[in-house]
Amino acid sequence: MTTARRPGRRPGNPGTRAAVLSAARAAFAERGFDGATIRAIATAAGVDPALVHHYFGSKDKLFLAAVEAPVDPEQLLPQVLAAGPDRLGESVVGMLLRVWDGPARPAGLALVRSAVGNEWTARLLREFLVSQVLRRVVGTLDLPPAEAEARGALVASQLIGVVMTRYVLEVEPLASAPAEELVAALAPTVQRYLTGEVALPGRRA
Amino acid sequence: MTTARRPGRRPGNPGTRAAVLSAARAAFAERGFDGATIRAIATAAGVDPALVHHYFGSKDKLFLAAVEAPVDPEQLLPQVLAAGPDRLGESVVGMLLRVWDGPARPAGLALVRSAVGNEWTARLLREFLVSQVLRRVVGTLDLPPAEAEARGALVASQLIGVVMTRYVLEVEPLASAPAEELVAALAPTVQRYLTGEVALPGRRA
């Protein structure tokens, strides 16, 4: 049944859809999530911007389709934020492990493998992390932009490291430990990066 | 001049050397660093174990040659340990960044890229981390084996995450921040994993 065409939001010529996604990947990799526009992507694909909106709904959704994201972080956000800012570290690590311990893992691994081997895909994964995950989570803390960026990047450094050690390199005991034990060990780190005392690093030209 | 044959420790038939390195990669990936033996590697390569010792010196050195490690962690260890256990987090992060900000970066990136795309190379990178880096650093703390393993793996999760965010995905501000700012931000995390209060995760069968 998985091969059946889905009704509703995804009609239209499959060739057009593929052209839009291909143009979107190029635009997001070249200009980043913020720099890319639906108008420019539509032009590159030779279609009307209204058709892109019709197919994909929003720039966020177009981006998720372009990178074949196994989950939509926006849908997981309410659950992550429910416990409040003082337990954000715990809920972020918990959500990461629930997603990766679940059916999304193969797609997640494919994305990481592709990102590490290919500079373009690396940029797409970075844009996914920054625009779809970190900005949403850190955005709830009401911080100055440079501080939000730095805290988000530090969070990313620990989360990507967990993915690499647990799922890619399978370093024990992280590879086989129950998720709740990893949450207990890692949450204080992520919480410190989000809301604690940190000597924040800054960009250099 | 880089193509000139080096005198001294690496004489012998290049074909034999290549056969030993190939057998070593297979053995280390299949059985891990501890499980592989120079005797079995020599047998698989069709040479005398004494010749392997003569070419490479020790199992550690054979392993480093087999994975084409850009640095020998053993040589860096005295510098890392010099500041004492209370500043180990700082000196570990500082050394990681000195190595990766230096001429070893391309080789390091090649190793990570290969590890992420290939299960065999992933095992070799894991064995490199565990046997050549973590065990040496954590080994100086005189901990029970399960605790040493867990603390080492947590350290690995943060260090690999830094490599991924700074050098592979280039997430700002981690990509361009001066090394000393990253050390200030990350050292408390690594220090906690090494010597601080942590709810340690454990292996599951």
Side-chain angles (χ1 to χ4, degrees):
Chain A
M1 300 300 283
T2 52
T3 55
R5 291 288 300 274
R6 278 192 251 174
R9 282 188 62 217
R10 295 184 178 182
N13 186 329
T16 304
R17 212 182 125 79
V20 170
L21 288 173
S22 173
R25 274 189 288 273
F28 287 126
E30 260 172 46
R31 291 177 216 165
F33 180 80
D34 296 327
T37 65
I38 286 196
R39 173 166 299 277
I41 290 165
T43 304
V47 302
D48 192 276
L51 194 72
V52 178
H53 279 290
H54 175 73
Y55 277 10
F56 297 98
S58 68
K59 187 160 93 166
D60 281 302
K61 297 290 178 280
L62 171 60
F63 179 75
L64 293 176
V67 303
E68 299 179 39
V71 293
D72 180 350
E74 193 179 15
Q75 294 186 351
L76 306 176
L77 198 67
Q79 240 182 297
V80 172
L81 300 179
D86 292 343
R87 295 183 57 196
L88 198 50
E90 192 183 318
S91 61
V92 165
V93 178
M95 180 59 77
L96 176 86
L97 296 175
R98 269 201 299 290
V99 167
W100 276 83
D101 285 341
R105 194 193 308 181
L109 278 172
L111 196 59
V112 171
R113 293 214 162 95
S114 167
V116 171
N118 180 301
E119 200 190 325
W120 254 43
T121 323
R123 289 192 206 173
L124 290 175
L125 179 56
R126 179 184 65 208
E127 294 301 313
F128 174 75
L129 270 169
V130 171
S131 75
Q132 305 295 310
V133 180
L134 304 176
R135 204 181 280 176
R136 286 206 167 100
V137 171
V138 182
T140 63
L141 298 172
D142 201 21
L143 302 167
E147 181 175 349
E149 185 187 54
R151 290 187 181 274
L154 289 169
V155 170
S157 78
Q158 178 62 86
L159 298 186
I160 297 171
V162 174
V163 167
M164 290 291 292
T165 43
R166 181 172 172 86
Y167 304 106
V168 178
L169 301 180
E170 301 184 7
V171 176
E172 289 291 6
L174 268 55
S176 68
E180 61 271 21
E181 294 188 13
L182 292 187
V183 171
L186 300 164
T189 297
V190 176
Q191 187 68 46
R192 181 172 76 87
Y193 292 158
L194 287 168
T195 61
E197 208 173 298
V198 190
L200 291 170
R203 283 175 187 247
R204 285 301 174 279
Chain B
M1 300 300 282
T2 52
T3 54
R5 291 288 301 275
R6 278 191 250 176
R9 282 187 64 216
R10 297 185 178 181
N13 186 329
T16 304
R17 212 183 126 79
V20 170
L21 288 173
S22 174
R25 273 188 288 273
F28 287 127
E30 260 171 48
R31 293 177 215 165
F33 180 80
D34 296 328
T37 64
I38 286 195
R39 174 166 298 275
I41 290 165
T43 303
V47 302
D48 192 275
L51 195 71
V52 177
H53 280 290
H54 175 74
Y55 277 10
F56 297 98
S58 68
K59 187 160 92 167
D60 282 301
K61 296 291 178 280
L62 171 59
F63 179 75
L64 293 176
V67 304
E68 298 179 39
V71 294
D72 180 350
E74 192 179 17
Q75 294 187 349
L76 306 176
L77 199 66
Q79 242 182 296
V80 172
L81 300 178
D86 294 343
R87 293 183 59 195
L88 197 50
E90 191 182 320
S91 61
V92 166
V93 177
M95 181 58 78
L96 176 85
L97 296 175
R98 269 200 300 288
V99 167
W100 276 85
D101 285 342
R105 192 192 308 180
L109 278 172
L111 195 59
V112 171
R113 293 213 161 96
S114 168
V116 170
N118 181 300
E119 201 189 324
W120 255 44
T121 323
R123 290 192 207 173
L124 290 175
L125 180 55
R126 180 185 63 209
E127 294 302 312
F128 174 75
L129 270 169
V130 171
S131 76
Q132 305 297 309
V133 181
L134 303 175
R135 203 181 280 176
R136 287 207 166 101
V137 171
V138 182
T140 62
L141 299 172
D142 202 20
L143 303 167
E147 180 174 348
E149 185 187 54
R151 289 187 181 274
L154 289 169
V155 170
S157 78
Q158 179 63 84
L159 299 186
I160 296 170
V162 175
V163 168
M164 289 291 293
T165 43
R166 181 171 171 89
Y167 305 105
V168 178
L169 301 180
E170 301 183 8
V171 176
E172 289 291 4
L174 268 55
S176 68
E180 62 270 22
E181 294 188 12
L182 291 187
V183 171
L186 299 163
T189 296
V190 176
Q191 187 67 46
R192 182 172 75 86
Y193 291 157
L194 286 167
T195 62
E197 207 175 296
V198 190
L200 291 170
R203 283 174 188 248
R204 285 302 175 277

